[in-house]
Amino acid sequence: MIIIPGPASRDLGERVASEMGAEAHAIDHRIFPDGESYIRLTDPVEGETVAIVQTTAPDPDRKLMNLFLMARTAHDLGAERIICVAPYLAYTRQDKRFLEGEALSLDVVFGILEASGVDDLVVVDAHNKSSLRRIEADHDIEVHNLSAIPLLADNLLRSGFEGAYSLSPDKGAIHLAESAAKILGGGVGFFEKTRDRTTGEIEMKVADLDIEGQNAVVFDDIISSGGTMARAVEGLKSHGASKVATACTHALFMEGARERVSGAGADTIVISDSVQSEAEAVRVSIAPLLARMLMELTSAKLTTR
Ligand code: R5P
């Protein structure tokens, strides 16, 4: 297998290769003065299984474009199988038309990945599992959705959050809290969250929880503006929670988000390395998770030959 860390995931791609005892293959990547990307695969890929590790945030449009360029080039150069490892796949949150006339971004992204010759797509904590199943059924791409939540919970277990309450910011994400609670061993709950589709304003109500004096962790797939986590932390603190941690897979941390979450009273912020970020937080690597998946995919392929 040829492992290619894309420009957005150099460190993560190298960690994945090292977990597998494999070499990370460098590519030539530049940005032209007009803003276009230049991509050149420098090692031969003909007849090989190629795993491209490229997350797609921040700057999702460029990072997706780079992913399409790498995949399509590997396909054109005769790669036998192309596995895109995009831990954070941008545009998955726009999986339906919430307002009439909206673009179905998730469908557009999948259409281009398929046309670029991608066989397998590995993502982590995809925003909406059922949309992913729908889109997978419509395209010739096998999707492997992994979860970083057990890794994040395991880290919290070892840093004083054993027995803490596991919460999700809304009912739809309760599976994240449930999966964490198996490790932390405390109760499970969720918030009632509503977001104004036009203004983006978030309102969160704490469900009926007896949290007073207990430690709690809010698990989410994404922190973007930090508004959701900040409201959740404030809610827990106002209900008398003791220590409150936030744990999320994709720390997009847009302008001021990290400060918003800690300013709301979060005692610990745990994130994965699915996207590159300089933000101050406890970082847990998903490289072992991705490496295990790639090894499974490769051996599955060998046994079916
Ligand atoms: C939404 O449903 C997601 O699971 C996250 O809760 C959301 O994307 C977080 O966004 P923000 O940090 O901007 O509130």
Side-chain angles (χ1 to χ4, degrees):
M1 180 186 296
I2 303 259
I3 299 173
I4 301 179
S9 293
R10 284 217 171 96
D11 294 350
L12 180 61
E14 278 166 19
R15 269 181 231 133
V16 170
S18 129
E19 286 282 333
M20 296 174 72
E23 185 193 344
H25 291 252
I27 61 160
D28 197 355
H29 164 247
R30 277 174 278 141
I31 298 174
F32 289 113
D34 61 5
E36 290 181 3
S37 295
Y38 170 90
I39 292 279
R40 178 171 165 253
L41 305 191
T42 47
D43 291 327
V45 295
E46 192 171 353
E48 301 279 357
T49 291
V50 175
I52 299 165
V53 185
Q54 167 84 349
T55 205
T56 60
D59 198 1
D61 293 3
R62 174 177 301 284
K63 284 169 184 164
L64 271 175
M65 187 63 188
N66 286 342
L67 180 63
F68 300 147
L69 292 174
M70 289 183 283
R72 175 59 193 263
T73 307
H75 177 69
D76 291 348
L77 297 178
E80 190 198 291
R81 182 183 188 185
I82 299 169
I83 305 172
C84 279
V85 181
Y88 175 72
L89 186 65
Y91 289 107
T92 53
R93 278 180 289 179
Q94 186 74 45
D95 53 0
K96 43 176 106 79
R97 290 200 165 94
F98 301 98
L99 298 176
E100 202 178 332
E102 286 181 342
L104 278 179
S105 321
L106 175 65
D107 296 54
V108 173
V109 167
F110 262 73
I112 306 177
L113 285 173
E114 187 177 38
S116 308
V118 174
D119 299 289
D120 297 83
L121 176 68
V122 179
V123 293
V124 181
D125 290 313
H127 182 63
N128 187 329
K129 287 196 212 166
S130 57
S131 301
L132 216 56
R133 278 195 294 274
R134 169 188 68 78
I135 201 99
E136 190 181 20
D138 290 348
H139 294 84
D140 199 12
I141 297 178
E142 214 170 303
V143 183
H144 312 275
N145 181 25
L146 311 179
S147 180
I149 298 298
L151 291 173
L152 303 177
D154 197 55
N155 180 285
L156 285 154
L157 179 74
R158 287 179 282 107
S159 51
F161 282 87
E162 184 173 0
Y165 225 102
S166 296
L167 294 133
S168 61
D170 56 39
K171 199 174 177 184
I174 186 72
H175 60 282
L176 303 180
E178 285 169 345
S179 129
K182 285 187 192 142
I183 293 167
L184 294 179
V188 186
F190 61 89
F191 288 80
E192 312 270 354
K193 172 179 165 185
T194 48
R195 189 193 286 264
D196 186 305
R197 287 276 158 217
T198 314
T199 63
E201 207 59 46
I202 298 166
E203 209 191 308
M204 290 182 77
K205 291 191 197 117
V206 193
D208 199 12
L209 291 176
D210 183 15
I211 204 86
E212 185 147 4
Q214 293 198 55
N215 293 340
V217 187
V218 189
F219 289 89
D220 205 354
D221 54 344
I222 303 168
I223 294 181
S224 181
S225 70
T228 302
M229 280 299 199
R231 296 289 88 74
V233 172
E234 281 163 6
L236 291 169
K237 288 277 180 174
S238 71
H239 279 70
S242 181
K243 271 195 304 177
V244 176
T246 66
C248 97
T249 305
H250 311 296
L252 307 189
F253 281 150
M254 296 298 103
E255 183 95 43
R258 163 72 180 74
E259 292 66 31
R260 215 161 282 132
V261 178
S262 56
D267 299 286
T268 308
I269 298 176
V270 183
I271 61 175
S272 90
D273 58 354
S274 88
V275 298
Q276 289 188 174
S277 148
E278 299 304 318
E280 198 188 314
V282 178
R283 227 171 240 86
V284 177
S285 184
I286 54 170
L289 187 72
L290 300 177
R292 217 175 309 129
M293 184 76 241
L294 288 178
M295 287 193 269
E296 266 174 40
L297 287 177
T298 325
S299 59
K301 185 189 119 191
L302 291 176
T303 51
T304 54
R305 263 189 172 170

